[in-house]
Amino acid sequence: MNTGFDLLLNNIKLPRFWQHVIFWVIVSFFITTLYSFQTNFWVSLRNNLLYMPIQIAYYYAIAYWLVPKYVFEKRYVMFFMMLVPLVFACMFISRTIGILFVAPYLIRVMHVTDAGYIASTQRPFFEQLTDGQSLVNSFKGTNLFTGFVLAIKLFKMWYERKQAALEAELNALKAQVHPHFLFNTLNNLYSLSLNNSPKSPQAIIGLSDLLRYMLYECSDNEVLLEKEVFMMQQYVKLEKLRYEDRIDINFTITGNLKDKTIAPLLILPFIENAFKHGTSEQVGATWINIDISVTLNHFKLKVANGKPERSVEEGHTPGHIGLKNVTKRLNLLYPHTSRLKIVNEEDTFFVALDLDLKIIKHSAVQQMVTA
């Protein structure tokens, strides 16, 4: 049960600027605590506040300038040519801060008595700046935590780009369903109009309902299963208007469709394929069987159709664009939770789809219905 505090947290969304500020405050606190064991917390905090601007500038220069401009554009040589001077610049700036502000402060506040350390801080500035061991320590101090944060950022950027590419591909595949379906349905209307069928207005209304569903409700990644199945029933009714008694259709549904979601228009290509390749104007009565069953979150679809003599004689292979399209979508959306079986026999074409669906809470269902 969600408390009022939980709901408040869910509704809070900080601006991106403040997200970054909070992140660096946490990072600064962590580094301060880490180095406080060598001195004390306040000395560590003071010194860390001097170094932190260098680390922040170093991080943003790589994450928001070099990587997007050169790595993502595959200009790797230019990336390294720009990265090397940046690393050296940050390393020398960090070393300069250590010479001018950190070391004298530690000697004065912490009462350092180590004669070797004191003598090393009294050398000429340039000699201290170019000291090999000190530069290595400066390099490690600059890159240790920044490198870790940068690795997280790069992984996030890579994942976002991958998701964007995946989303674009899914949208392209989904978009292919619309004109393909519309073309076939307009053919149905054309056939009815040629015969001056009184069922033409009913077909137009059915088509408008389906198009409204596609345009306004299928833009989401998932839709309610019961709504998707209902629209497929409407599509079957639309096809029945065209073929009338020349086709025997058996559409059965078992199980509870409520409180489950599915990718939109995932079922349509299988049913559309059955009508497209399992019927013929020249051949007598044919048949199509559609069976949907749901057990808990397990969804199963079976679509079978007879193949008219025309398809067999002409060597026409059922299913091209539609089935290839839906197979790609299944691989992208349900890579580990879907199983698709296609059997193409001499007189029968059979498709079986097994899918694990997401079960949603009643409140989420209400939001999807009212959206």
Side-chain angles (χ1 to χ4, degrees):
M1 179 177 178
N2 290 330
T3 63
F5 182 71
D6 293 331
L7 295 174
L8 179 63
L9 290 178
N10 290 335
N11 293 326
I12 292 177
K13 188 175 182 181
L14 289 174
R16 190 170 182 82
F17 171 79
W18 289 109
Q19 292 179 16
H20 283 248
V21 170
I22 293 172
F23 171 77
W24 286 111
V25 168
I26 295 173
V27 170
S28 180
F29 177 79
F30 177 80
I31 296 177
T32 297
T33 305
L34 187 66
Y35 284 99
S36 66
F37 293 105
Q38 299 175 355
T39 54
N40 64 58
F41 182 83
W42 298 111
V43 171
S44 178
L45 177 62
R46 182 261 185 191
N47 293 337
N48 184 51
L49 291 176
L50 293 173
Y51 286 120
M52 187 57 68
I54 306 301
Q55 295 183 338
I56 293 175
Y58 181 56
Y59 165 78
Y60 284 110
I62 297 176
Y64 289 89
W65 174 47
L66 293 183
V67 171
K69 187 173 183 178
Y70 298 110
V71 175
F72 287 162
E73 299 297 327
K74 299 183 179 179
R75 301 167 62 187
Y76 303 118
V77 175
M78 283 298 301
F79 171 74
F80 284 106
M81 289 179 64
M82 300 298 291
L83 177 64
V84 171
L86 177 64
V87 170
F88 275 94
C90 292
M91 187 169 59
F92 280 110
I93 293 173
S94 179
R95 180 65 188 135
T96 300
I97 292 173
I99 295 170
L100 297 179
F101 302 103
V102 175
Y105 182 78
L106 287 175
I107 293 173
R108 185 174 69 254
V109 174
M110 300 302 297
H111 308 291
V112 176
T113 57
D114 187 337
Y117 180 78
I118 295 175
S120 68
T121 62
Q122 294 176 345
R123 293 176 297 169
F125 174 81
F126 185 77
E127 185 178 336
Q128 294 185 60
L129 182 66
T130 56
D131 179 73
Q133 183 62 42
S134 298
L135 283 176
V136 170
N137 291 335
S138 178
F139 175 82
K140 290 191 296 184
T142 304
N143 287 275
L144 179 62
F145 201 85
T146 303
F148 175 74
V149 175
L150 187 61
I152 297 176
K153 175 63 179 178
L154 291 177
F155 177 79
K156 181 175 179 288
M157 294 171 73
W158 169 82
Y159 180 78
E160 288 176 346
R161 286 170 67 89
K162 182 179 178 182
Q163 288 298 108
L166 176 63
E167 188 71 23
E169 185 175 358
L170 284 172
N171 288 335
L173 290 171
K174 193 194 303 183
Q176 291 176 14
V177 176
H178 293 221
H180 189 248
F181 159 79
L182 184 59
F183 176 76
N184 291 338
T185 309
L186 287 176
N187 274 343
N188 294 352
L189 290 175
Y190 178 68
S191 299
L192 291 173
S193 64
L194 284 180
N195 298 326
N196 294 320
S197 173
K199 298 179 180 178
S200 295
Q202 185 180 349
I204 293 173
I205 293 174
L207 176 60
S208 66
D209 290 339
L210 283 168
L211 289 180
R212 187 180 299 109
Y213 173 72
M214 288 181 172
L215 291 174
Y216 297 108
E217 300 187 43
C218 291
S219 57
D220 296 329
N221 294 328
E222 292 184 330
V223 296
L224 292 174
L225 176 62
E226 56 183 323
K227 192 68 174 288
E228 176 80 359
V229 172
F230 174 75
M231 297 313 298
M232 295 310 103
Q233 290 176 302
Q234 297 299 99
Y235 173 76
V236 170
K237 289 180 181 178
L238 199 60
E239 291 285 4
K240 282 183 177 180
L241 292 176
R242 174 184 176 185
Y243 292 103
E244 297 179 330
D245 296 332
R246 288 176 292 123
I247 183 169
D248 180 21
I249 302 175
N250 183 27
F251 196 150
T252 59
I253 301 172
T254 57
N256 182 17
L257 305 182
K258 295 183 179 298
D259 302 339
K260 300 171 184 67
T261 60
I262 191 172
L265 306 177
L266 198 66
I267 307 172
L268 175 61
F270 299 112
I271 299 176
E272 189 180 24
N273 182 79
F275 280 99
K276 182 179 179 181
H277 302 288
T279 56
S280 171
E281 296 289 351
Q282 289 77 28
V283 181
T286 55
W287 59 272
I288 294 176
N289 291 334
I290 303 169
D291 179 72
I292 292 176
S293 62
V294 179
T295 305
L296 297 178
N297 71 321
H298 184 70
F299 172 85
K300 190 163 188 175
L301 170 71
K302 295 180 182 178
V303 181
N305 61 268
K307 293 163 64 176
E309 295 178 6
R310 176 177 60 86
S311 298
V312 176
E313 291 173 358
E314 295 178 6
H316 183 74
T317 303
H320 289 287
I321 298 176
L323 292 187
K324 290 179 181 179
N325 181 310
V326 77
T327 301
K328 288 181 180 179
R329 289 185 69 200
L330 283 170
N331 290 335
L332 292 171
L333 292 169
Y334 304 96
H336 307 297
T337 59
S338 64
R339 294 155 295 279
L340 177 63
K341 180 181 180 181
I342 299 177
V343 179
N344 186 9
E345 297 180 343
E346 183 177 355
D347 57 355
T348 305
F349 191 80
F350 174 77
V351 173
L353 171 65
D354 291 279
L355 199 64
D356 292 335
L357 301 177
K358 183 188 298 182
I359 298 178
I360 57 178
K361 295 180 180 179
H362 184 70
S363 58
V365 174
Q366 289 297 109
Q367 292 178 2
M368 294 183 72
V369 171
T370 59

